[in-house]
Amino acid sequence: GAVVSQHPSWVICKSGTSVKIECRSLDFQATTMFWYRQFPKQSLMLMATSNEGSKATYEQGVEKDKFLINHASLTLSTLTVTSAHPEDSSFYICSAMGQIGEAFFGQGTRLTVV
Amino acid sequence: AQSVTQLGSHVSVSEGALVLLRCNYSSSVPPYLFWYVQYPNQGLQLLLKYTSAATLVKGINGFEAEFKKSETSFHLTKPSAHMSDAAEYFCAVTSGGATNKLIFGTGTLLAVQP
């Protein structure tokens, strides 16, 4: 199956700093990628749809200025958590869609803000 | 609108016993349905998918699921549980295509007892 690589796997940052998470489709092109947030023992919450060459589409309640998404190429989308606070600590997962709508997921990034 | 309901947030079976994880969907258009598995601190791995072809779908690791339109169900089964099957399982629905969102169920945590 298709491979999606997410980096870093985990990161610890100080409150007030920004963190960038990368999501790459390694063996296919993805015009659309998705960013999810997952709280402990809960399902995935869709944060935004990342569209190559255009602005991301954010879900209701997700702060656009806090969670900056850039999809500069057909194989790379980035999520930047700006001015991170402890409540932003979470597991962030990206996915890229295949031709029939199946999602290929990255390994996830565990963000801890201290 | 589409939605997925997973009955039972926790399921426990004995090693060697039948695994049955329930998923019911709601969709106004012909659905594409998926089962994903998530191990701790990892992304999601596709187990199997239904995309309007055969109603009985076989996936990886001995899992299979049957699409039943009359019951709007897509339950996941495995004849004999293995200790390595212990994980979180998510059912998801989409209307297909590379830009359509996946809608996830709340997940079912499968425990396998020795």
Side-chain angles (χ1 to χ4, degrees):
Chain A
V3 178
V4 174
S5 177
Q6 190 173 337
H7 178 80
S9 298
W10 59 271
V11 58
I12 301 174
C13 71
K14 291 184 176 180
S15 187
T17 62
S18 295
V19 173
K20 179 184 285 188
I21 303 169
E22 292 187 349
C23 181
R24 294 180 185 274
S25 55
L26 296 185
D27 51 0
F28 67 106
Q29 294 183 331
T31 55
T32 304
M33 293 185 177
F34 298 88
W35 287 96
Y36 297 86
R37 183 173 181 176
Q38 187 179 31
F39 293 99
K41 301 186 187 301
Q42 293 189 29
S43 189
L44 283 71
M45 181 191 78
L46 180 64
M47 298 174 66
T49 303
S50 173
N51 305 299
E52 187 269 335
S54 64
K55 291 183 179 180
T57 304
Y58 289 82
E59 295 299 301
Q60 189 172 10
V62 178
E63 298 178 61
K64 302 178 183 180
D65 295 333
K66 167 166 275 296
F67 299 102
L68 299 180
I69 291 172
N70 183 275
H71 195 151
S73 77
L74 288 171
T75 59
L76 174 64
S77 175
T78 61
L79 168 68
T80 301
V81 183
T82 62
S83 186
H85 288 91
E87 57 265 33
D88 298 324
S89 298
S90 192
F91 193 57
Y92 293 87
I93 308 176
C94 71
S95 75
M97 300 298 273
Q99 291 301 309
I100 59 169
E102 76 273 42
F104 300 100
F105 287 85
Q107 309 94 315
T109 298
R110 173 72 60 192
L111 170 63
T112 303
V113 184
V114 298
Chain B
Q2 296 178 305
S3 66
V4 167
T5 301
Q6 288 184 245
L7 294 176
S9 58
H10 291 79
V11 171
S12 182
V13 301
S14 299
E15 191 173 18
L18 171 71
V19 175
L20 171 61
L21 304 183
R22 298 179 186 275
C23 173
N24 288 87
Y25 70 91
S26 174
S27 179
S28 57
V29 297
Y32 288 3
L33 293 156
F34 306 86
W35 275 100
Y36 288 88
V37 60
Q38 185 182 33
Y39 296 98
N41 292 310
Q42 294 189 28
L44 276 67
Q45 180 183 11
L46 180 66
L47 278 178
L48 48 81
K49 58 191 176 190
Y50 167 76
T51 56
S52 76
T55 56
L56 182 61
V57 181
K58 295 186 183 299
I60 62 171
N61 301 339
F63 285 95
E64 62 181 39
E66 186 172 7
F67 173 72
K68 292 186 176 181
K69 185 177 180 180
S70 61
E71 298 178 7
T72 60
S73 69
F74 190 58
H75 302 329
L76 181 71
T77 60
K78 182 174 180 177
S80 176
H82 192 273
M83 296 297 288
S84 61
D85 295 327
E88 185 93 29
Y89 291 81
F90 293 96
C91 182
V93 64
T94 184
S95 52
T99 60
N100 291 313
K101 305 173 193 178
L102 266 181
I103 307 300
F104 285 92
T106 50
T108 298
L109 183 61
L110 175 65
V112 181
Q113 308 298 329

